[in-house]
Amino acid sequence: MAHQNIFAGNPLDRAGDLRNDPDWLAEQADKPYAQALVLWEGRPLIEETDQGPRLVWLSMKHARTLVRDREAFLGLWKDEPVFAIEFEGSIDPANGPVGGLGVFHDMRAAAALLPTADAAMAGGAKSLFDWRRKHGFCANCGALCETASGGWKRRCPACGTEHFPRVDPVTIMLPIYTGGAEPICLLGRQAAWAPGRMSALAGFLEPGESIEEACAREVKEEAGLTVVSATYHSSQPWPFPSQLMIGLIAQGVRRSGPARPDRAGISGLADARRGPGGAGRRPSDHQRAAPVRHRPQPDPGLGRGKIGFGLLPSPQGEGETLSPILISTTNPRRFKGMSRRIDPLPYRGSIRPITAAGSLTSSWRTRSAALGSPSRLAKIR
């Protein structure tokens, strides 16, 4: 696998052909080595070890004494069963039933702390519990559904309809413009984000739409650009609540009109920055854009929400900072003129991009450097 993003790389055998048997599941839960990870409202319980932060594991027998009817079968690890339990409510269980075992972390923060396998198992469990919480009743007849297949199915006792976990596909793309002196990429930001935070463009697939068509539509709607071709990069399970981010490099980008930010809130881009050739969207009166300045670093005062063309920096040695929602940039110590980090998250060991956006930008930056066209991060007048 060329690229393995955070929340991917689950090491468990899901045993999808066996978990439909309730007797087999009961036998697995009763095994002495059956274990369960612990969530509280989507937050994993994490402990500090000599090897760094790790998930807390309880014996399944003990876990069932803490939580009833909130368990899920995750799979098999070397033929041993692995489950998950979830606490609900506003009171932190770390101050009660699981006191002294660890600390509950927000899943986004946990992604920066945990090893790949731990993050993947915790993320999958969160998505499963989120789906079960929101789909308690049959969409066909409205009756209360029953849990089946270790939590991977909801069955309606009234009409017999079976319901399965929902996964929402999302295209996330890095448009590349190669018509100038240097290749540049397009980044965007939501109005609600902290100043200086930017990301790749993204949008949900619509019915009857291919991945490539969704990529082209979103880029045109959000940035007024036409995508000629799209190349698959990698994908990422995104448990907020249950998206599959499909990463693409959008190539052959050319201008086809002004940017039209989606104000419905899916992408929520609030304004457009000028790109090559000076084309751009004129901000409305209540969205005055800050003057565009050519600077060799991300502008901490970027404003209320822009689309921006950026020349991504080339890799200069190891080390990257992390933004919890956004792209990775080079280490500020190796980036001349960088005045501050952008929302870094702690991580033990080599730092890696958390999001599909980070993976896309890092890969393109590395490839650009290999082709002899590295450049600095900048906004183009």
Side-chain angles (χ1 to χ4, degrees):
M1 183 181 296
H3 302 275
Q4 182 170 289
N5 296 306
I6 302 302
F7 298 122
N10 190 327
L12 301 179
D13 174 1
R14 295 172 182 260
D17 55 337
L18 298 172
R19 67 192 184 201
N20 293 325
D21 183 349
D23 294 333
W24 181 85
L25 275 176
E27 179 183 343
Q28 299 305 305
D30 289 337
K31 284 188 174 181
Y33 293 106
Q35 54 187 334
L37 63 85
V38 184
L39 298 177
W40 167 46
E41 296 285 341
R43 306 176 185 92
L45 184 62
I46 297 175
E47 64 177 336
E48 288 287 341
T49 72
D50 293 339
Q51 291 76 41
R54 294 292 187 272
L55 289 175
V56 172
W57 294 95
L58 304 179
S59 71
M60 191 56 185
K61 182 178 180 180
H62 178 51
R64 279 184 161 173
T65 66
L66 303 177
V67 177
R68 292 185 178 274
D69 301 324
R70 291 294 298 171
E71 65 183 56
F73 172 74
L74 300 184
L76 300 173
W77 170 248
K78 297 183 178 179
D79 297 326
E80 296 297 339
V82 177
F83 292 80
I85 63 169
E86 184 182 49
F87 288 93
E88 293 185 299
S90 60
I91 300 177
D92 188 346
N95 297 325
V98 293
L101 297 180
V103 177
F104 288 98
H105 289 262
D106 175 81
M107 188 63 75
R108 286 181 172 86
L113 300 173
L114 293 171
T116 299
D118 281 22
M121 290 185 286
K126 178 186 181 299
S127 287
L128 190 57
F129 283 123
D130 284 346
W131 169 74
R132 287 171 56 180
R133 185 183 302 111
K134 297 175 182 177
H135 294 80
F137 295 88
C138 178
N140 186 51
C141 72
L144 182 65
C145 288
E146 301 172 342
T147 300
S149 300
W152 294 87
K153 184 190 298 184
R154 303 284 272 178
R155 182 185 296 115
C156 177
C159 68
T161 301
E162 294 181 338
H163 305 275
F164 297 89
R166 175 172 174 165
V167 176
D168 298 315
V170 177
T171 55
I172 180 166
M173 46 277 178
L174 192 67
I176 305 299
Y177 177 79
T178 57
E182 299 177 283
I184 58 177
C185 75
L186 179 68
L187 303 175
R189 67 185 307 271
Q190 292 188 25
W193 288 350
R197 179 178 291 180
M198 303 191 78
S199 182
L201 305 184
F204 288 94
L205 269 74
E206 295 185 348
E209 190 174 47
S210 71
I211 294 173
E212 295 84 358
E213 290 168 345
C215 170
R217 174 181 56 78
E218 285 289 341
V219 173
K220 189 170 184 177
E221 288 177 355
E222 299 288 5
L225 300 175
T226 297
V227 173
V228 176
S229 64
T231 303
Y232 175 77
H233 177 274
S234 61
S235 62
Q236 179 186 36
W238 191 241
F240 305 102
S242 190
Q243 282 82 259
L244 177 64
M245 310 300 292
I246 304 169
L248 305 167
I249 301 294
Q251 299 168 325
V253 173
R254 64 174 184 268
R255 293 197 168 275
S256 58
R260 295 185 298 275
D262 179 3
R263 297 170 187 270
I266 293 179
S267 297
L269 299 176
D271 209 341
R273 300 295 279 186
R274 293 180 181 271
R281 179 180 180 277
R282 181 179 179 180
S284 60
D285 291 339
H286 64 282
Q287 292 176 324
R288 299 276 183 193
V292 180
R293 299 185 299 274
H294 186 85
R295 301 184 60 174
Q297 75 271 357
D299 181 2
L302 192 59
R304 291 189 177 87
K306 317 289 186 293
I307 297 172
F309 277 93
L311 299 179
L312 292 181
S314 61
Q316 303 178 36
E318 296 182 357
E320 293 178 296
T321 59
L322 288 180
S323 173
I325 310 297
L326 230 9
I327 65 170
S328 61
T329 63
T330 55
N331 190 314
R333 291 172 297 180
R334 300 180 183 272
F335 189 11
K336 185 178 180 180
M338 175 72 83
S339 60
R340 66 184 183 94
R341 293 176 181 265
I342 300 178
D343 300 329
L345 288 176
Y347 177 71
R348 293 175 181 266
S350 60
I351 294 185
R352 69 272 170 102
I354 294 178
T355 64
S359 182
L360 285 169
T361 53
S362 294
S363 295
W364 180 73
R365 184 180 61 207
T366 301
R367 183 175 63 179
S368 296
L371 294 176
S373 58
S375 54
R376 298 177 302 170
L377 181 65
K379 292 186 291 295
I380 306 304
R381 183 177 299 276

